[in-house]
Amino acid sequence: MSRRAIEKLRQDREVTVQDEVSDSDDEDVAVLTTTKPSGFASMMNDSSSSSGEDSAEDDSSVKSDGKEVIKDAACLRKEEEKIVQADDNLDALLEEFKEQDEALPEQAQTEANPETQFFDIITSTLDIRDLDFDFVMRTSMLGSTSATASARSKRRGRQSFVFGPPKDGWPRPPRYIGGGIGMSTYDVDPRSLPWPYSDMKEGDERCPENSKCFIFQFSDSYQRDRADYDQVKASGDANMLALFCVHHPFMVAALLQLSSVLYQTNQSQEGRSLLQRALWVFECAFLNSFANKSFGFMDYDQPENRSFFETLFRMVRISHVAGLPRSAIAFSKLLLSLDPLRDPMNILLILDYFVLLANTDDDNEWMVEFVESKMVSIYLKDTDQSKEYQAGLDSLPNVSYSYALALYRIYQKHPSPENEEKAK
């Protein structure tokens, strides 16, 4: 019951009580008038005894009415006490909500600024929307830059997908317990770190924690389907492969193989759709701690992770062929952030080219900051001669040239003595 309804009920009850009290007062006056006759009238009236009995009955009725009025007043006081108590509880509840609202901005700020990692420089300027191939293609056709496209997307609403929303007709892949793909960390599924991370001392910021090391998991049903796919692949029959993908739409290895066949037969749109479906399968398996801007470490040597690396690398290639450097940069940064020191897909040989091709202020500044930070080094291990090599990014000729050209472009757009000194 609302507060207004309670107030209205209380007013109606007060009016009713006042009416009853006025009626009882009128009855009291009438009783007093009839119970106090004059002496001459009492001597001349033969029915004095009967009128005395009537007056006694009237007195008892007045007393009973008075008791009812007292009861009604007591009930009214109880209701008023309940209203006061409800108001106190309402004020306390509002105060609690106010405290929670004041605490929300601090909590949102804490969630928006998670714990930084050593290699966050790689994804510092990464826009998650650039991992959506269709989104980048639409905005590029409209002549939008990365900044304007991001602002427009923020006005429309927050995107809740990493690689873009699924297309119509794509059901959600089964989870790990349902016969699909899952994801785990080294805390739950302990694995040994590869070189050079395994040789780093404890406390080295470059060495990832077990909670930041991720690995995909294949269920028993998925592994049986994978064995069936190996037989189809060995047959070399493209029609049988297509039929297998129809019956197993979430087998990533089969999707990648059929995508290659479609690209070779000039069916690029269908081939790209299969790659995007493979990304959708992986995204449904992501943990919440992995599906953020920083991502985490992933070992390419683990067989369960290789398909993910291959899918991302193919997205880099088709983004470049489609003339979308923004998308190519985004996928390249994601690949490099998974294993920055070993770089199993050799992204460092092409990332700088995409940055120069985009030719934006943000990309040029990121290239300069990325090289000058010296956080990413090149590690190489010669298994034949048992030798280990380490070098900085400036040891790569392509990175050195791109770094110099980025400095020159920054100086041209923002001439200053400091930028001039760096560009020389």
Side-chain angles (χ1 to χ4, degrees):
M1 183 180 293
S2 63
R3 187 172 180 177
R4 293 183 179 178
I6 295 175
E7 291 291 341
K8 186 176 180 181
L9 178 62
R10 183 173 61 181
Q11 293 176 1
D12 295 341
R13 179 57 66 90
E14 289 178 356
V15 173
T16 305
V17 171
Q18 291 177 0
D19 294 340
E20 292 178 355
V21 171
S22 61
D23 293 340
S24 63
D25 292 340
D26 295 338
E27 291 177 358
D28 292 340
V29 173
V31 170
L32 291 175
T33 305
T34 56
T35 56
K36 294 182 180 180
S38 61
F40 180 76
S42 59
M43 288 185 297
M44 295 299 294
N45 192 0
D46 296 333
S47 60
S48 60
S49 60
S50 62
S51 56
E53 292 176 359
D54 295 338
S55 64
E57 292 178 358
D58 293 337
D59 290 339
S60 61
S61 62
V62 169
K63 291 181 180 179
S64 61
D65 293 338
K67 291 181 180 180
E68 291 180 359
V69 172
I70 295 174
K71 289 181 180 180
D72 292 338
C75 294
L76 182 61
R77 284 196 299 271
K78 289 182 180 181
E79 290 182 359
E80 290 178 351
E81 291 176 358
K82 290 181 180 180
I83 293 173
V84 173
Q85 186 178 3
D87 291 341
D88 296 338
N89 295 336
L90 181 60
D91 294 337
L93 188 60
L94 292 175
E95 187 68 22
E96 183 179 356
F97 286 158
K98 183 178 180 180
E99 293 177 357
Q100 292 179 0
D101 292 339
E102 293 176 353
L104 282 178
E106 299 179 358
Q107 183 179 1
Q109 184 177 4
T110 304
E111 295 178 354
N113 299 314
E115 185 180 357
T116 58
Q117 300 181 23
F118 185 79
F119 297 110
D120 281 350
I121 182 63
I122 300 175
T123 57
S124 59
T125 59
L126 174 63
D127 190 349
I128 296 297
R129 299 174 185 85
D130 291 341
L131 294 174
D132 184 357
F133 185 90
D134 295 333
F135 170 78
V136 177
M137 179 173 289
R138 290 194 304 269
T139 55
S140 298
M141 292 177 62
L142 296 175
S144 302
T145 61
S146 179
T148 57
S150 300
R152 185 183 298 110
S153 179
K154 289 180 180 178
R155 290 194 298 268
R156 292 179 179 177
R158 183 180 178 183
Q159 182 177 359
S160 58
F161 302 99
V162 178
F163 302 112
K167 296 184 179 181
D168 296 337
W170 287 4
R172 185 176 181 86
R175 299 183 181 274
Y176 176 77
I177 58 176
I181 299 178
M183 178 178 275
S184 180
T185 61
Y186 284 12
D187 288 338
V188 181
D189 188 7
R191 304 290 178 95
S192 58
L193 291 174
W195 179 88
Y197 305 98
S198 58
D199 294 345
M200 294 179 180
K201 297 181 181 179
E202 185 178 358
D204 195 330
E205 295 181 354
R206 297 174 299 174
C207 185
E209 301 176 356
N210 288 337
S211 60
K212 298 296 183 180
C213 299
F214 299 90
I215 183 174
F216 287 102
Q217 292 180 323
F218 295 162
S219 62
D220 295 338
S221 177
Y222 190 89
Q223 291 179 0
R224 289 192 297 267
D225 294 340
R226 180 62 184 267
D228 296 338
Y229 160 72
D230 293 337
Q231 296 179 0
V232 173
K233 182 180 178 181
S235 66
D237 190 349
N239 295 326
M240 186 179 297
L241 177 63
L243 186 62
F244 181 85
C245 290
V246 171
H247 293 285
H248 302 82
F250 306 117
M251 172 58 60
V252 176
L255 295 177
L256 295 179
Q257 186 64 32
L258 184 58
S259 175
S260 299
V261 173
L262 293 175
Y263 269 102
Q264 292 176 1
T265 56
N266 296 326
Q267 303 180 55
S268 58
Q269 186 173 359
E270 291 79 4
R272 185 180 72 247
S273 178
L274 292 179
L275 289 178
Q276 291 176 312
R277 186 191 297 182
L279 290 177
W280 168 243
V281 174
F282 284 122
E283 183 175 350
C284 291
F286 285 169
L287 295 176
N288 293 333
S289 56
F290 180 81
N292 54 41
K293 191 174 181 180
S294 299
F295 295 97
F297 174 79
M298 190 171 288
D299 188 2
Y300 175 76
D301 295 336
Q302 299 294 335
E304 297 86 352
N305 295 337
R306 290 190 178 182
S307 297
F308 184 59
F309 280 85
E310 294 175 1
T311 306
L312 293 178
F313 188 74
R314 292 192 185 185
M315 292 301 300
V316 173
R317 294 171 55 187
I318 67 172
S319 298
H320 173 58
V321 173
L324 303 176
R326 280 170 44 200
S327 183
I329 292 173
F331 283 107
S332 298
K333 288 181 178 180
L334 174 55
L335 266 174
L336 183 60
S337 66
L338 296 179
D339 193 350
L341 300 183
R342 296 192 305 165
D343 187 18
M345 308 305 293
N346 298 321
I347 289 298
L348 288 174
L349 299 179
I350 56 176
L351 175 58
D352 61 300
Y353 170 74
F354 298 141
V355 172
L356 296 179
L357 187 62
N359 193 17
T360 62
D361 293 342
D362 293 339
D363 292 326
N364 291 328
E365 292 175 0
W366 175 85
M367 187 68 197
V368 173
E369 184 180 359
F370 176 62
V371 176
E372 292 180 351
S373 65
K374 297 181 179 180
M375 292 184 177
V376 178
S377 302
I378 304 171
Y379 285 81
L380 178 63
K381 189 173 185 179
D382 190 351
T383 56
D384 297 336
Q385 299 180 3
S386 300
K387 292 184 179 181
E388 300 175 356
Y389 304 94
Q390 179 184 357
L393 290 177
D394 52 1
S395 300
L396 293 175
N398 61 310
V399 175
S400 299
Y401 175 79
S402 300
Y403 171 69
L405 184 56
L407 286 174
Y408 179 72
R409 288 177 173 177
I410 293 174
Y411 169 70
Q412 281 187 325
K413 293 186 177 181
H414 307 283
S416 65
E418 183 181 358
N419 292 336
E420 182 180 2
E421 184 66 23
K422 288 184 177 181
K424 288 183 177 179

